[in-house]
Amino acid sequence: MTSRTISRTSGLVDCLIQGSLVLSAVMTSRTISRTSGLVDFVAEVVLSFEQLKQLHAQILTNGEFNHTSLLTSFLSSSHKPQLILQHLPRQDPSLWNSMIRVSLERGDFGDFLDLYRGLRSYSFFPNTGTLSLVLRSCANLNATHLGKLFHSQIVKMGFEFNMILQTGLLGFYAKVGDLGSAQKVFAEMPERDVIANNAMIAAFSRHGCVKEAKQLFENMSERDASSWNSLITCYCKSSDVHNALLMFDQNPMKDVVSWNAMIDGYCKSEQLVKAEELFSRMGFMKNVVTWNTMIAGYVQCSEFVRAINLFQRMLREEVKPTEITMVSLLSACAYLGALDMGEWIHGYIRRKKIKIDFVLGNALIDMYFKCGNVEAAIQVFHGLYARNIFCWNSIIIGLGMHGYGKEAVDAFIAMEREGIKPDGVTFVGLLCSCSHSGLVSVGRSYFSQMKSIYGIEPGIEHYGCMVDLLGRSGFLQEALELIKSMPMKPNAVVWGSLLRACHKHKDAKLGEQVTENLLSLDPHDGGNYVFLSNLYASLNRWTEVDQCRKLMIERGVRKTPGCSSIEVENIVYRFVAGDTSHPQINVFLDKIAKELQAHGYKPDTTSILHDIEDEEKESVVRYHSERFAVAFGLMTMPPGRIIRIVKNLRTCDDCHAVMKFISNDYNREIIMRDRNRFHHFRNGYCSCNDYW
């Protein structure tokens, strides 16, 4: 078999897996050294352990154990590469180092530790490149203890004066938040080149030490482009874009990094116009980081549609997106509820074989959950090569948002079985899941175990979840007592949870007490007045409703207008409550109202804050924003398509009831995300079981 045949023949896969005859012929020739196809194949295909043993035997039989690139590719396909390395006839430290780097690059710390121990068992030393990657990995994973252990190893191996590793240590300590140790490493360096100085400026920048960064910069005898860029970034991170711009203008070594840093600074300070000006001025100098920075800036400033539009322009200009581009876009889709666009992005990721790491995988999970596709979120989760605490937290929080409280608890138990230690965010997700599903006893149990079993001190957010859980379930006095027992001062979120519970269970007396606390904490939050007004209105206490409205006017407080959005053919449409600019939709809503009333629907107008005639109240609730969105969906989307709506406020009781009627009468599944949670309406029922 010639080298040309090898590179062209797909049957080589079968030859490698099944036969020793053809493989032997290939290996005894000189084609291996000339043919990258075999190495590429071994790197890409995932073989079973038995197949790997057969291939290993052929490599040894034909004397190819000296071919480092082939062996590295071969070992990369093995689940336990250290076992095979130990049986090679001649030990090669470069192979061990290569495999350590492979394990780190794919995030497999278990393999990494086994391989490192194997390397040291032969009295081999890791090389400088390997140790640098170890330090970077420890920094990226925030593995502080492990990084410090390798600091000791570096000293014991005699690398304590190695400039590359000292700079790596400096970067490690800065990234894990130990600025003191970073400064100590820097101070003990026998000599400092421009790279070390830049690393220290970056460390100061990361911790907001602008004065120290500026002083070090001014004392540097030699500066390069990175020196200027590090200081520009430092000013930008501290929101001092004025001084950042002065440095940018003075910079004699201005490069694309300098421009990107300034664009990022303007975006972070929400000065999008200035960021866009720089972006336009760059012309053909722009690189993929420039595009990513601008897209991320739009997302940070809640300009989600503009972020998607810029991405589409990026594709038209044939700029290749990266994982970072995808993460920003998925965040935009998640906020907008733009599932079609999110699915297209996921498909693009697959087509372009973009690596789905923890961050991108987490963004996909979050997008699918927030766009209402629970099954796809779970599928992405199970498809990840490895799962960290952030992935598990996303699953637990996402399941809870959709009312799958029991499944969220099951996920928590599965996470523990995999040896992942929960953190504070995990318990926020777990307790919220219990709250949305009415799992009172389960929530009480986990809350009581947080400190005693898991060693996590409950924060104000955990108390807020418990107050919400107890209040929703009608345990108002227990919720009040919990607030009184809190070791910290309750905030507006905690009191707000109890006020919503008072409204739900029509306890006006307690609601008035709670509102007094709320208004003293945040007198300008319109939502607090609205909830109290709703409570009074539901009890027909119109004098108190008027008093609330007058107080709002006196204090300049405005109610946030209801706004709902729906995605149709990759375009996001937005509607506001009471909008009169859509006469066709208004007519269709009137038609729906008549049909529903014929089926027994009676409008619930208790949320109307005006003492007006019932007919007028019915007209007001009929034109809430989510009804415009669902009517537009029914008018424009083909039968059978799921209608997905995103609302900025909590949906009212009447709209919730109407969605159930519409799902049954029009045979449509409606998935609505309001400010609190998801509602899946099917066949006249909602997934929340009217518990929201």
PDB file of all heavy atoms in Angstrom, residues 605-632:
ATOM      1  N   THR A 605     -60.430  40.213  36.755  1.00  0.00           N
ATOM      2  CA  THR A 605     -59.972  41.609  36.663  1.00  0.00           C
ATOM      3  C   THR A 605     -59.432  42.134  37.991  1.00  0.00           C
ATOM      4  O   THR A 605     -59.343  43.345  38.189  1.00  0.00           O
ATOM      5  CB  THR A 605     -61.127  42.508  36.193  1.00  0.00           C
ATOM      6  OG1 THR A 605     -62.224  42.394  37.123  1.00  0.00           O
ATOM      7  CG2 THR A 605     -61.600  42.109  34.805  1.00  0.00           C
ATOM      8  N   THR A 606     -59.069  41.247  38.893  1.00  0.00           N
ATOM      9  CA  THR A 606     -58.610  41.705  40.215  1.00  0.00           C
ATOM     10  C   THR A 606     -57.286  42.449  40.155  1.00  0.00           C
ATOM     11  O   THR A 606     -56.911  43.128  41.113  1.00  0.00           O
ATOM     12  CB  THR A 606     -58.459  40.504  41.165  1.00  0.00           C
ATOM     13  OG1 THR A 606     -57.586  39.535  40.556  1.00  0.00           O
ATOM     14  CG2 THR A 606     -59.797  39.865  41.456  1.00  0.00           C
ATOM     15  N   SER A 607     -56.556  42.318  39.041  1.00  0.00           N
ATOM     16  CA  SER A 607     -55.274  43.019  38.947  1.00  0.00           C
ATOM     17  C   SER A 607     -55.422  44.460  38.453  1.00  0.00           C
ATOM     18  O   SER A 607     -54.439  45.198  38.409  1.00  0.00           O
ATOM     19  CB  SER A 607     -54.330  42.264  37.999  1.00  0.00           C
ATOM     20  OG  SER A 607     -54.859  42.248  36.690  1.00  0.00           O
ATOM     21  N   ILE A 608     -56.645  44.857  38.080  1.00  0.00           N
ATOM     22  CA  ILE A 608     -56.853  46.223  37.588  1.00  0.00           C
ATOM     23  C   ILE A 608     -56.901  47.175  38.767  1.00  0.00           C
ATOM     24  O   ILE A 608     -57.675  46.982  39.722  1.00  0.00           O
ATOM     25  CB  ILE A 608     -58.172  46.329  36.776  1.00  0.00           C
ATOM     26  CG1 ILE A 608     -58.145  45.314  35.631  1.00  0.00           C
ATOM     27  CG2 ILE A 608     -58.351  47.738  36.239  1.00  0.00           C
ATOM     28  CD1 ILE A 608     -56.965  45.463  34.709  1.00  0.00           C
ATOM     29  N   LEU A 609     -56.090  48.232  38.720  1.00  0.00           N
ATOM     30  CA  LEU A 609     -55.934  49.123  39.865  1.00  0.00           C
ATOM     31  C   LEU A 609     -56.862  50.339  39.799  1.00  0.00           C
ATOM     32  O   LEU A 609     -56.585  51.372  40.394  1.00  0.00           O
ATOM     33  CB  LEU A 609     -54.476  49.591  39.957  1.00  0.00           C
ATOM     34  CG  LEU A 609     -53.428  48.477  39.998  1.00  0.00           C
ATOM     35  CD1 LEU A 609     -52.053  49.070  40.197  1.00  0.00           C
ATOM     36  CD2 LEU A 609     -53.757  47.479  41.083  1.00  0.00           C
ATOM     37  N   HIS A 610     -57.939  50.244  39.061  1.00  0.00           N
ATOM     38  CA  HIS A 610     -58.872  51.358  38.959  1.00  0.00           C
ATOM     39  C   HIS A 610     -60.281  50.859  39.273  1.00  0.00           C
ATOM     40  O   HIS A 610     -60.676  49.757  38.874  1.00  0.00           O
ATOM     41  CB  HIS A 610     -58.865  51.960  37.544  1.00  0.00           C
ATOM     42  CG  HIS A 610     -57.507  52.386  37.092  1.00  0.00           C
ATOM     43  ND1 HIS A 610     -56.935  53.573  37.469  1.00  0.00           N
ATOM     44  CD2 HIS A 610     -56.596  51.767  36.301  1.00  0.00           C
ATOM     45  CE1 HIS A 610     -55.732  53.680  36.924  1.00  0.00           C
ATOM     46  NE2 HIS A 610     -55.504  52.589  36.210  1.00  0.00           N
ATOM     47  N   ASP A 611     -61.043  51.689  39.986  1.00  0.00           N
ATOM     48  CA  ASP A 611     -62.435  51.352  40.288  1.00  0.00           C
ATOM     49  C   ASP A 611     -63.295  51.790  39.107  1.00  0.00           C
ATOM     50  O   ASP A 611     -63.916  52.847  39.107  1.00  0.00           O
ATOM     51  CB  ASP A 611     -62.874  52.070  41.570  1.00  0.00           C
ATOM     52  CG  ASP A 611     -64.249  51.601  42.032  1.00  0.00           C
ATOM     53  OD1 ASP A 611     -64.745  50.597  41.485  1.00  0.00           O
ATOM     54  OD2 ASP A 611     -64.821  52.253  42.939  1.00  0.00           O
ATOM     55  N   ILE A 612     -63.293  50.948  38.069  1.00  0.00           N
ATOM     56  CA  ILE A 612     -64.029  51.256  36.841  1.00  0.00           C
ATOM     57  C   ILE A 612     -65.011  50.130  36.562  1.00  0.00           C
ATOM     58  O   ILE A 612     -65.025  49.095  37.246  1.00  0.00           O
ATOM     59  CB  ILE A 612     -63.074  51.437  35.642  1.00  0.00           C
ATOM     60  CG1 ILE A 612     -62.176  50.195  35.486  1.00  0.00           C
ATOM     61  CG2 ILE A 612     -62.223  52.684  35.819  1.00  0.00           C
ATOM     62  CD1 ILE A 612     -61.218  50.282  34.296  1.00  0.00           C
ATOM     63  N   GLU A 613     -65.827  50.329  35.548  1.00  0.00           N
ATOM     64  CA  GLU A 613     -66.839  49.316  35.213  1.00  0.00           C
ATOM     65  C   GLU A 613     -66.166  48.009  34.772  1.00  0.00           C
ATOM     66  O   GLU A 613     -65.071  48.021  34.209  1.00  0.00           O
ATOM     67  CB  GLU A 613     -67.741  49.827  34.084  1.00  0.00           C
ATOM     68  CG  GLU A 613     -68.589  51.033  34.457  1.00  0.00           C
ATOM     69  CD  GLU A 613     -69.553  50.739  35.604  1.00  0.00           C
ATOM     70  OE1 GLU A 613     -70.104  49.616  35.641  1.00  0.00           O
ATOM     71  OE2 GLU A 613     -69.750  51.623  36.458  1.00  0.00           O
ATOM     72  N   ASP A 614     -66.873  46.905  35.020  1.00  0.00           N
ATOM     73  CA  ASP A 614     -66.315  45.584  34.707  1.00  0.00           C
ATOM     74  C   ASP A 614     -65.956  45.457  33.231  1.00  0.00           C
ATOM     75  O   ASP A 614     -64.938  44.846  32.875  1.00  0.00           O
ATOM     76  CB  ASP A 614     -67.314  44.487  35.091  1.00  0.00           C
ATOM     77  CG  ASP A 614     -67.411  44.309  36.604  1.00  0.00           C
ATOM     78  OD1 ASP A 614     -66.519  44.841  37.302  1.00  0.00           O
ATOM     79  OD2 ASP A 614     -68.359  43.663  37.071  1.00  0.00           O
ATOM     80  N   GLU A 615     -66.793  46.051  32.353  1.00  0.00           N
ATOM     81  CA  GLU A 615     -66.534  45.939  30.922  1.00  0.00           C
ATOM     82  C   GLU A 615     -65.213  46.607  30.555  1.00  0.00           C
ATOM     83  O   GLU A 615     -64.445  46.102  29.729  1.00  0.00           O
ATOM     84  CB  GLU A 615     -67.680  46.580  30.135  1.00  0.00           C
ATOM     85  CG  GLU A 615     -67.576  46.354  28.624  1.00  0.00           C
ATOM     86  CD  GLU A 615     -68.780  46.895  27.877  1.00  0.00           C
ATOM     87  OE1 GLU A 615     -69.834  47.093  28.516  1.00  0.00           O
ATOM     88  OE2 GLU A 615     -68.657  47.112  26.661  1.00  0.00           O
ATOM     89  N   GLU A 616     -64.940  47.766  31.198  1.00  0.00           N
ATOM     90  CA  GLU A 616     -63.676  48.457  30.941  1.00  0.00           C
ATOM     91  C   GLU A 616     -62.500  47.644  31.462  1.00  0.00           C
ATOM     92  O   GLU A 616     -61.438  47.574  30.831  1.00  0.00           O
ATOM     93  CB  GLU A 616     -63.690  49.835  31.601  1.00  0.00           C
ATOM     94  CG  GLU A 616     -64.667  50.828  30.994  1.00  0.00           C
ATOM     95  CD  GLU A 616     -64.619  52.165  31.710  1.00  0.00           C
ATOM     96  OE1 GLU A 616     -63.699  52.947  31.434  1.00  0.00           O
ATOM     97  OE2 GLU A 616     -65.500  52.402  32.560  1.00  0.00           O
ATOM     98  N   LYS A 617     -62.679  47.020  32.629  1.00  0.00           N
ATOM     99  CA  LYS A 617     -61.610  46.187  33.197  1.00  0.00           C
ATOM    100  C   LYS A 617     -61.276  45.026  32.258  1.00  0.00           C
ATOM    101  O   LYS A 617     -60.108  44.695  32.046  1.00  0.00           O
ATOM    102  CB  LYS A 617     -62.033  45.633  34.564  1.00  0.00           C
ATOM    103  CG  LYS A 617     -62.130  46.671  35.661  1.00  0.00           C
ATOM    104  CD  LYS A 617     -62.535  46.012  36.978  1.00  0.00           C
ATOM    105  CE  LYS A 617     -62.670  47.017  38.093  1.00  0.00           C
ATOM    106  NZ  LYS A 617     -63.061  46.382  39.376  1.00  0.00           N
ATOM    107  N   GLU A 618     -62.338  44.427  31.690  1.00  0.00           N
ATOM    108  CA  GLU A 618     -62.122  43.302  30.782  1.00  0.00           C
ATOM    109  C   GLU A 618     -61.342  43.743  29.543  1.00  0.00           C
ATOM    110  O   GLU A 618     -60.503  43.010  29.022  1.00  0.00           O
ATOM    111  CB  GLU A 618     -63.469  42.701  30.376  1.00  0.00           C
ATOM    112  CG  GLU A 618     -64.185  41.994  31.523  1.00  0.00           C
ATOM    113  CD  GLU A 618     -65.579  41.541  31.143  1.00  0.00           C
ATOM    114  OE1 GLU A 618     -65.873  41.492  29.922  1.00  0.00           O
ATOM    115  OE2 GLU A 618     -66.383  41.245  32.046  1.00  0.00           O
ATOM    116  N   SER A 619     -61.619  44.961  29.097  1.00  0.00           N
ATOM    117  CA  SER A 619     -60.909  45.485  27.935  1.00  0.00           C
ATOM    118  C   SER A 619     -59.441  45.711  28.244  1.00  0.00           C
ATOM    119  O   SER A 619     -58.572  45.446  27.404  1.00  0.00           O
ATOM    120  CB  SER A 619     -61.556  46.800  27.480  1.00  0.00           C
ATOM    121  OG  SER A 619     -60.865  47.338  26.379  1.00  0.00           O
ATOM    122  N   VAL A 620     -59.147  46.157  29.469  1.00  0.00           N
ATOM    123  CA  VAL A 620     -57.757  46.409  29.868  1.00  0.00           C
ATOM    124  C   VAL A 620     -56.956  45.114  29.882  1.00  0.00           C
ATOM    125  O   VAL A 620     -55.871  45.027  29.295  1.00  0.00           O
ATOM    126  CB  VAL A 620     -57.694  47.101  31.248  1.00  0.00           C
ATOM    127  CG1 VAL A 620     -56.247  47.157  31.742  1.00  0.00           C
ATOM    128  CG2 VAL A 620     -58.262  48.507  31.172  1.00  0.00           C
ATOM    129  N   VAL A 621     -57.468  44.067  30.533  1.00  0.00           N
ATOM    130  CA  VAL A 621     -56.707  42.814  30.627  1.00  0.00           C
ATOM    131  C   VAL A 621     -56.608  42.122  29.270  1.00  0.00           C
ATOM    132  O   VAL A 621     -55.643  41.404  28.998  1.00  0.00           O
ATOM    133  CB  VAL A 621     -57.316  41.834  31.674  1.00  0.00           C
ATOM    134  CG1 VAL A 621     -57.218  42.406  33.068  1.00  0.00           C
ATOM    135  CG2 VAL A 621     -58.751  41.471  31.334  1.00  0.00           C
ATOM    136  N   ARG A 622     -57.604  42.371  28.398  1.00  0.00           N
ATOM    137  CA  ARG A 622     -57.595  41.725  27.079  1.00  0.00           C
ATOM    138  C   ARG A 622     -56.393  42.162  26.246  1.00  0.00           C
ATOM    139  O   ARG A 622     -55.926  41.410  25.396  1.00  0.00           O
ATOM    140  CB  ARG A 622     -58.883  42.068  26.334  1.00  0.00           C
ATOM    141  CG  ARG A 622     -59.044  41.360  24.999  1.00  0.00           C
ATOM    142  CD  ARG A 622     -60.328  41.784  24.327  1.00  0.00           C
ATOM    143  NE  ARG A 622     -61.482  41.558  25.188  1.00  0.00           N
ATOM    144  CZ  ARG A 622     -62.704  42.073  24.970  1.00  0.00           C
ATOM    145  NH1 ARG A 622     -62.894  42.861  23.916  1.00  0.00           N
ATOM    146  NH2 ARG A 622     -63.691  41.817  25.793  1.00  0.00           N
ATOM    147  N   TYR A 623     -55.911  43.359  26.494  1.00  0.00           N
ATOM    148  CA  TYR A 623     -54.811  43.889  25.685  1.00  0.00           C
ATOM    149  C   TYR A 623     -53.483  43.926  26.448  1.00  0.00           C
ATOM    150  O   TYR A 623     -52.653  44.807  26.229  1.00  0.00           O
ATOM    151  CB  TYR A 623     -55.178  45.284  25.151  1.00  0.00           C
ATOM    152  CG  TYR A 623     -56.439  45.281  24.327  1.00  0.00           C
ATOM    153  CD1 TYR A 623     -57.496  46.131  24.622  1.00  0.00           C
ATOM    154  CD2 TYR A 623     -56.587  44.395  23.256  1.00  0.00           C
ATOM    155  CE1 TYR A 623     -58.666  46.109  23.866  1.00  0.00           C
ATOM    156  CE2 TYR A 623     -57.746  44.364  22.500  1.00  0.00           C
ATOM    157  CZ  TYR A 623     -58.784  45.223  22.812  1.00  0.00           C
ATOM    158  OH  TYR A 623     -59.936  45.187  22.066  1.00  0.00           O
ATOM    159  N   HIS A 624     -53.282  42.951  27.326  1.00  0.00           N
ATOM    160  CA  HIS A 624     -51.962  42.787  27.952  1.00  0.00           C
ATOM    161  C   HIS A 624     -50.969  42.305  26.894  1.00  0.00           C
ATOM    162  O   HIS A 624     -51.351  41.657  25.908  1.00  0.00           O
ATOM    163  CB  HIS A 624     -52.040  41.799  29.117  1.00  0.00           C
ATOM    164  CG  HIS A 624     -52.540  42.434  30.383  1.00  0.00           C
ATOM    165  ND1 HIS A 624     -52.688  41.735  31.560  1.00  0.00           N
ATOM    166  CD2 HIS A 624     -52.916  43.713  30.668  1.00  0.00           C
ATOM    167  CE1 HIS A 624     -53.141  42.543  32.501  1.00  0.00           C
ATOM    168  NE2 HIS A 624     -53.286  43.744  31.982  1.00  0.00           N
ATOM    169  N   SER A 625     -49.703  42.601  27.105  1.00  0.00           N
ATOM    170  CA  SER A 625     -48.691  42.387  26.057  1.00  0.00           C
ATOM    171  C   SER A 625     -48.552  40.928  25.632  1.00  0.00           C
ATOM    172  O   SER A 625     -48.351  40.633  24.453  1.00  0.00           O
ATOM    173  CB  SER A 625     -47.330  42.915  26.530  1.00  0.00           C
ATOM    174  OG  SER A 625     -46.860  42.204  27.664  1.00  0.00           O
ATOM    175  N   GLU A 626     -48.680  39.987  26.586  1.00  0.00           N
ATOM    176  CA  GLU A 626     -48.502  38.588  26.219  1.00  0.00           C
ATOM    177  C   GLU A 626     -49.624  38.092  25.305  1.00  0.00           C
ATOM    178  O   GLU A 626     -49.441  37.159  24.521  1.00  0.00           O
ATOM    179  CB  GLU A 626     -48.381  37.684  27.458  1.00  0.00           C
ATOM    180  CG  GLU A 626     -49.526  37.744  28.438  1.00  0.00           C
ATOM    181  CD  GLU A 626     -49.266  38.720  29.562  1.00  0.00           C
ATOM    182  OE1 GLU A 626     -49.001  39.907  29.268  1.00  0.00           O
ATOM    183  OE2 GLU A 626     -49.338  38.313  30.740  1.00  0.00           O
ATOM    184  N   ARG A 627     -50.806  38.753  25.396  1.00  0.00           N
ATOM    185  CA  ARG A 627     -51.914  38.356  24.520  1.00  0.00           C
ATOM    186  C   ARG A 627     -51.667  38.840  23.092  1.00  0.00           C
ATOM    187  O   ARG A 627     -52.014  38.152  22.130  1.00  0.00           O
ATOM    188  CB  ARG A 627     -53.227  38.915  25.054  1.00  0.00           C
ATOM    189  CG  ARG A 627     -53.535  38.403  26.444  1.00  0.00           C
ATOM    190  CD  ARG A 627     -55.010  38.324  26.676  1.00  0.00           C
ATOM    191  NE  ARG A 627     -55.284  38.244  28.093  1.00  0.00           N
ATOM    192  CZ  ARG A 627     -56.489  38.290  28.631  1.00  0.00           C
ATOM    193  NH1 ARG A 627     -57.544  38.434  27.853  1.00  0.00           N
ATOM    194  NH2 ARG A 627     -56.652  38.192  29.933  1.00  0.00           N
ATOM    195  N   PHE A 628     -51.073  40.039  22.957  1.00  0.00           N
ATOM    196  CA  PHE A 628     -50.674  40.495  21.623  1.00  0.00           C
ATOM    197  C   PHE A 628     -49.702  39.495  21.004  1.00  0.00           C
ATOM    198  O   PHE A 628     -49.809  39.135  19.831  1.00  0.00           O
ATOM    199  CB  PHE A 628     -49.989  41.865  21.710  1.00  0.00           C
ATOM    200  CG  PHE A 628     -50.950  43.021  21.781  1.00  0.00           C
ATOM    201  CD1 PHE A 628     -51.122  43.724  22.952  1.00  0.00           C
ATOM    202  CD2 PHE A 628     -51.671  43.407  20.658  1.00  0.00           C
ATOM    203  CE1 PHE A 628     -51.992  44.797  23.016  1.00  0.00           C
ATOM    204  CE2 PHE A 628     -52.548  44.480  20.710  1.00  0.00           C
ATOM    205  CZ  PHE A 628     -52.717  45.180  21.897  1.00  0.00           C
ATOM    206  N   ALA A 629     -48.723  39.058  21.813  1.00  0.00           N
ATOM    207  CA  ALA A 629     -47.691  38.150  21.309  1.00  0.00           C
ATOM    208  C   ALA A 629     -48.280  36.810  20.886  1.00  0.00           C
ATOM    209  O   ALA A 629     -47.960  36.288  19.807  1.00  0.00           O
ATOM    210  CB  ALA A 629     -46.609  37.946  22.371  1.00  0.00           C
ATOM    211  N   VAL A 630     -49.162  36.244  21.718  1.00  0.00           N
ATOM    212  CA  VAL A 630     -49.725  34.932  21.375  1.00  0.00           C
ATOM    213  C   VAL A 630     -50.666  35.047  20.179  1.00  0.00           C
ATOM    214  O   VAL A 630     -50.716  34.152  19.317  1.00  0.00           O
ATOM    215  CB  VAL A 630     -50.433  34.287  22.587  1.00  0.00           C
ATOM    216  CG1 VAL A 630     -51.791  34.898  22.866  1.00  0.00           C
ATOM    217  CG2 VAL A 630     -50.573  32.779  22.389  1.00  0.00           C
ATOM    218  N   ALA A 631     -51.406  36.159  20.083  1.00  0.00           N
ATOM    219  CA  ALA A 631     -52.289  36.359  18.927  1.00  0.00           C
ATOM    220  C   ALA A 631     -51.467  36.484  17.645  1.00  0.00           C
ATOM    221  O   ALA A 631     -51.817  35.905  16.606  1.00  0.00           O
ATOM    222  CB  ALA A 631     -53.144  37.609  19.132  1.00  0.00           C
ATOM    223  N   PHE A 632     -50.359  37.222  17.721  1.00  0.00           N
ATOM    224  CA  PHE A 632     -49.486  37.359  16.554  1.00  0.00           C
ATOM    225  C   PHE A 632     -48.916  36.004  16.149  1.00  0.00           C
ATOM    226  O   PHE A 632     -48.811  35.685  14.963  1.00  0.00           O
ATOM    227  CB  PHE A 632     -48.353  38.335  16.885  1.00  0.00           C
ATOM    228  CG  PHE A 632     -47.431  38.610  15.732  1.00  0.00           C
ATOM    229  CD1 PHE A 632     -47.843  39.383  14.656  1.00  0.00           C
ATOM    230  CD2 PHE A 632     -46.137  38.096  15.712  1.00  0.00           C
ATOM    231  CE1 PHE A 632     -46.999  39.647  13.587  1.00  0.00           C
ATOM    232  CE2 PHE A 632     -45.281  38.343  14.651  1.00  0.00           C
ATOM    233  CZ  PHE A 632     -45.718  39.128  13.586  1.00  0.00           C
TER     234      PHE A 632
END
